[in-house]
Amino acid sequence: MSERLLYQMPFCPFSRKIAFGLLEKGVPVTPVMERTWKPSPLLLQLNPSAELPVFQDGLSICWNDYTACEYIEDVYATPQLMGVESFDRLEARKIMSWFDRIFYHDVYMTLFYERALKRAIAQSGPDTSVLKTGRSMLRKHMVYISTLADRYSYIAGSTFSWADITVASHVSCIDYLGEIVWDDFPIAQEWYLKIKSRPAFRSFLMQTFPGLAPVPHYSLLDF
Amino acid sequence: MSERLLYQMPFCPFSRKIAFGLLEKGVPVTPVMERTWKPSPLLLQLNPSAELPVFQDGLSICWNDYTACEYIEDVYATPQLMGVESFDRLEARKIMSWFDRIFYHDVYMTLFYERALKRAIAQSGPDTSVLKTGRSMLRKHMVYISTLADRYSYIAGSTFSWADITVASHVSCIDYLGEIVWDDFPIAQEWYLKIKSRPAFRSFLMQTFPGLAPVPHYSLLDF
């Protein structure tokens, strides 16, 4: 068996997404810890842009979450996680790209970056005006998640998919900070509790960020 | 037949990529012109992030080049443009994501933005230090294109694929400005001439940017 390695960073939503998807598919990997702002020479050799994650599957090197997700779905086809019909696949990919691009920019890069990563990367504390903007954007995105969760049993259709994996990976990083007022979003909460109860998701709820304790409900399966 | 519309902007490499792919597949679409910095109410309704292009295929609305490209390959499977084996598909997607993320950031957003778009968007002229950085980055990317073009007959393998479509879409916007010193990159030039000679690509070589004439060789099939 050729070696499978996942170069990743804890609380990087893209790394979390690929690790979660691999667990759902039952594909074992060895994690390799990286820091996106201080890439190892090996990571730079595998991927000169140093984007995380990098999934090395024998001779196949997947750069970033897009190529990794499509490759994993292609090569490890069972269980199928991209929707049965072309319309479902489009829906899953639209939701993925929304969270990977827009939610990440609006919420992760304001709240998670300011409150957790900035100290390590820029040696400075959070900017309160950025936090304020991030919190306001988060509420809008939570309304969107509620709308999505209200349509079907899962976020992009009637079956669990990469869209659930993606949204839960982003949401969990923000929930760690205690930024989500779940009482205001009961439908989104119901969906998220369903994802939290999946065995493949449990390991992420056990992770901690150095110097920053999780909100008490972070790992609870009912709250 | 349900209506197919492509909301696009001329010289947007992502719009060009999807329009080029649809032409290669023989899928007719009606173009709808948009400006990314001044989205129409209709565009915002279809895609609240206003990313271009948006491909509307009846009831299926594809946001951005990623969802559009994967949807088109899924629904209009012939001719197949994503590689035959999973390794080819990974290679095509890796090259696509490199140009869509890294080349776009390093080269388009320095050279094309500064020289062409900035006047319309920010009402100001180019910053010479940004142009200098962009030109230096462009040379590095041209070396990379040469390496890719030297391996097989096409950019990601032995057949024409979305990787060729993507790289040519980005390269052609920059070539319009006369920024590429082709004499220094004969292997990349040979590949690009092959793409330029495809009937589906011809229409892009006829486009002009208001107030900015193309370099004389832009539309020539031998130079």
Side-chain angles (χ1 to χ4, degrees), chain B residues 69-83:
Chain B
C69 165
E70 297 290 343
Y71 170 86
I72 292 164
E73 194 57 26
D74 197 359
V75 172
Y76 303 101
T78 311
Q80 194 272 104
L81 294 179
M82 198 68 95

Side-chain angles (χ1 to χ4, degrees), chain A residues 6 12-24 27 29 52-55 62 64-70 72 162 165 169 204:
Chain A
L6 186 64
C12 155
F14 307 106
S15 300
R16 187 168 279 201
K17 163 182 173 177
I18 298 306
F20 184 12
L22 287 166
L23 280 164
E24 286 285 345
V27 179
V29 286
L52 288 175
V54 168
F55 176 43
C62 307
N64 67 47
D65 63 297
Y66 157 59
T67 62
C69 165
E70 297 290 344
I72 291 164
W162 280 103
I165 291 173
S169 296
F204 307 111

Side-chain angles (χ1 to χ4, degrees), chain A residues 14 17 47 49 51-53 63-68 97 100-101 104, chain B residues 14 17 65-66 93-109 141 166 170:
Chain A
F14 307 106
K17 163 182 173 177
N47 177 7
S49 78
E51 275 185 295
L52 288 175
W63 293 337
N64 67 47
D65 63 297
Y66 157 59
T67 62
S97 76
D100 288 338
R101 299 180 185 205
Y104 176 76
Chain B
F14 307 107
K17 164 182 173 177
D65 62 299
Y66 157 58
R93 289 190 177 109
K94 279 169 75 169
I95 295 170
M96 279 203 282
S97 75
W98 182 272
F99 284 85
D100 288 337
R101 299 180 185 205
I102 317 297
F103 185 95
Y104 176 75
H105 171 270
D106 289 352
V107 181
Y108 186 88
M109 286 308 291
H141 285 282
T166 302
H170 284 279

